[in-house]
Amino acid sequence: MAASALAGSAQAQDTVIHAGRLIDGLTTKPREQVSILIAKDRITGVEPGFVTPAGAKVIDLSRATVMPGLIDSHTHVTSLSRTGNGIAKAVTNSALDAALASTVNVSKILQSGVTTVRDLGGLSGIDVAMKKAINQGSVAGPRMWVAGEAIGPTGGHNDWSHGYAEDVSRRDWGAGIADGPDAVTKLARKEHKLGADQIKIMPSGGVVSQGDDPKAQLMSEAEIKAAVDAAHALGMKIAAHGHGKAAIDVAVRLGVDSIEHGTYADAESFKLMKAKGTYFIPTLLTTQRLYDAAKNRPETLNPSTVAKVLAMGSSLTKLTNAHAAGVKIAFGSDTGQGENVKEGALMVQAGMSPAEVITAATAAGAELIGSQDIGAVAPGRYADIIAMAGDPLADITELERVKFVMKGGKVYRADGAPVFVELVNP
């Protein structure tokens, strides 16, 4: 279906949702037969029983489980598929290809029930432009908190020229590279100026990148501290891509707000995260998908990635151990093409209860982002609301079968199908 068919429909100014069962995001204890009152894009009241204010449009979800829209705290909506010939794609796909693909990606994400994303890295300013387009209503997609280009060192995870001949280059390669604390500070300030809501750094090596070691700490303590200080001085949160223990532990000690991936974190790492109140986003879905590709379809990945993925394995124990240690956990799939909600089942396999996963995808995500407008069905919050036929507290895979999606008081999905509307001109 065309992207324009996935946008929200115009609603009456006042709407009431009759919810058969409500999990409001403030607690995981469900409430039965509740009315959610909505004016424009906000929730104005949550009342017991089915009430219908005069003139209000009624949305009947009396046989459904109703929840806040989900929050994915680690996405890449501007990225193309990670499988295939990465070298060929790098020199044949342009920023325009990524921009066009992202309009489809954000529509799929919204249709899945994810109404907010924390997007952690996009080239060429596409993520900032996409956020703007969604906010003005010319593209249908989730609310976006964006990081712009992630910041990392020469030869690190976001040095896109690594592995290529020295005379091979592209305009956007190198946009996030900073060596030395002064350069890191300057780049963090530049990302803020260009429209980023948060900062992401690459203190360790990565997986899909070529030539770098995920276990290695590639940013110095001075560089990490410069990024943390600059982000917090600008009122922004800072996320750290961290696979290796050394990079994770240093980043946590220096005050990052979240650790992404955490592959080689150990008991000491999680104890430190617990003490500092650092959020952990385990990104199990992308780990599983990469492991499956490396094991069964190695020709779809570059050799460097295959070796690193097979060494890391598909283990869920990083989340099992973080959860047992009492670390704060947010839901984050590290995907960008509409499969985000499948992260939940893996989190349950790793030892979290369905209720804890729902909290990770609602209240915890809102706290991590730093917004009081999302993450709960409560007066004053945005009317970001989803519904499904079954009970996700009993079966977390119900999150994969969302039948109704509302964002900001507008319905984007009803009766299991996208709602058609006319998009506004940019």
Side-chain angles (χ1 to χ4, degrees):
M1 181 172 289
S4 62
L6 304 184
S9 62
Q11 303 291 306
Q13 180 174 343
D14 296 310
T15 302
V16 58
I17 294 175
H18 290 167
R21 170 178 289 183
L22 173 65
I23 303 170
D24 64 11
L26 301 174
T27 172
T28 53
K29 182 178 180 180
R31 299 161 61 182
E32 304 292 332
Q33 297 191 346
V34 175
S35 294
I36 305 166
L37 308 179
I38 299 163
K40 296 183 179 179
D41 62 346
R42 300 274 180 169
I43 298 167
T44 58
V46 181
E47 299 185 4
F50 294 153
V51 301
T52 306
K57 176 180 178 179
V58 177
I59 296 177
D60 183 7
L61 297 176
S62 60
R63 296 179 180 272
T65 299
V66 178
M67 288 176 45
L70 303 176
I71 301 168
D72 189 330
S73 294
H74 189 131
T75 67
H76 295 283
V77 305
T78 65
S79 63
L80 302 172
S81 172
R82 292 180 179 178
T83 58
N85 187 326
I87 295 175
K89 289 192 296 184
V91 296
T92 57
N93 290 317
S94 72
L96 295 177
D97 294 312
L100 289 172
S102 67
T103 63
V104 177
N105 291 344
V106 294
S107 293
K108 288 180 177 179
I109 290 169
L110 181 59
Q111 287 292 314
S112 76
V114 174
T115 56
T116 297
V117 298
R118 178 175 171 256
D119 201 68
L120 292 182
L123 293 172
S124 305
I126 300 170
D127 55 345
V128 175
M130 182 58 62
K131 177 185 72 170
K132 179 180 177 181
I134 290 171
N135 289 345
Q136 68 187 12
S138 58
V139 172
R143 303 183 191 283
M144 292 182 66
W145 272 260
V146 302
E149 174 61 87
I151 299 172
T154 297
H157 182 44
N158 67 320
D159 186 344
W160 307 111
S161 67
H162 201 157
Y164 293 83
E166 188 176 358
D167 58 349
V168 176
S169 64
R170 294 189 56 159
R171 285 194 305 268
D172 49 5
W173 288 0
I177 294 176
D179 296 308
D182 289 344
V184 169
T185 297
K186 182 177 180 178
L187 189 48
R189 291 170 177 169
K190 180 180 179 182
E191 295 290 3
H192 180 264
K193 180 184 76 170
L194 294 176
D197 307 295
Q198 61 205 329
I199 294 298
K200 182 186 180 184
I201 57 172
M202 304 292 204
S204 86
V207 177
V208 297
S209 46
Q210 298 189 78
D212 54 327
D213 182 355
K215 291 184 178 181
Q217 178 183 329
L218 301 180
M219 292 180 71
S220 69
E221 291 195 23
E223 289 171 332
I224 296 169
K225 185 177 187 301
V228 172
D229 290 348
H232 289 167
L234 292 166
M236 298 191 294
K237 299 291 187 74
I238 180 168
H241 159 103
H243 286 290
K245 171 181 165 55
I248 291 168
D249 292 358
V250 169
V252 172
R253 288 192 182 98
L254 292 175
V256 299
D257 297 289
S258 66
I259 293 292
E260 319 296 315
H261 315 304
T263 304
Y264 296 108
D266 63 9
E268 181 184 24
S269 307
F270 292 129
K271 182 178 180 181
L272 183 61
M273 291 170 67
K274 165 71 172 176
K276 289 284 191 176
T278 311
Y279 264 98
F280 179 47
I281 296 84
T283 63
L284 302 177
L285 181 59
T286 195
T287 301
Q288 182 197 59
R289 295 292 171 84
L290 285 170
Y291 182 76
D292 177 67
K295 187 174 181 181
N296 300 309
R297 301 178 305 282
E299 71 281 359
T300 65
L301 300 171
N302 70 61
S304 172
T305 295
V306 171
K308 288 188 277 189
V309 169
L310 291 178
M312 294 166 67
S314 63
S315 174
L316 306 178
T317 56
K318 60 182 179 180
L319 176 55
T320 305
N321 294 337
H323 179 245
V327 174
K328 294 196 293 187
I329 295 163
F331 181 106
S333 67
D334 195 16
T335 64
Q337 296 166 324
E339 298 179 318
N340 314 57
V341 292
K342 293 182 179 181
E343 179 80 11
L346 295 172
M347 295 173 81
V348 169
Q349 288 181 39
M352 295 180 70
S353 70
E356 290 171 325
V357 173
I358 290 170
T359 297
T362 54
E367 181 181 67
L368 174 58
I369 286 173
S371 174
Q372 295 294 317
D373 291 322
I374 57 176
V377 177
R381 307 280 180 127
Y382 284 124
D384 296 350
I385 296 167
I386 64 173
M388 58 225 71
D391 180 6
L393 291 170
D395 179 4
I396 198 63
T397 66
E398 284 296 325
L399 295 183
E400 300 173 24
R401 295 181 285 277
V402 168
K403 303 297 184 183
F404 173 88
V405 177
M406 171 184 280
K407 184 191 126 193
K410 296 181 179 181
V411 176
Y412 290 79
R413 187 174 185 86
D415 299 322
V419 173
F420 178 87
V421 314
E422 188 174 343
L423 296 170
V424 304
N425 289 325

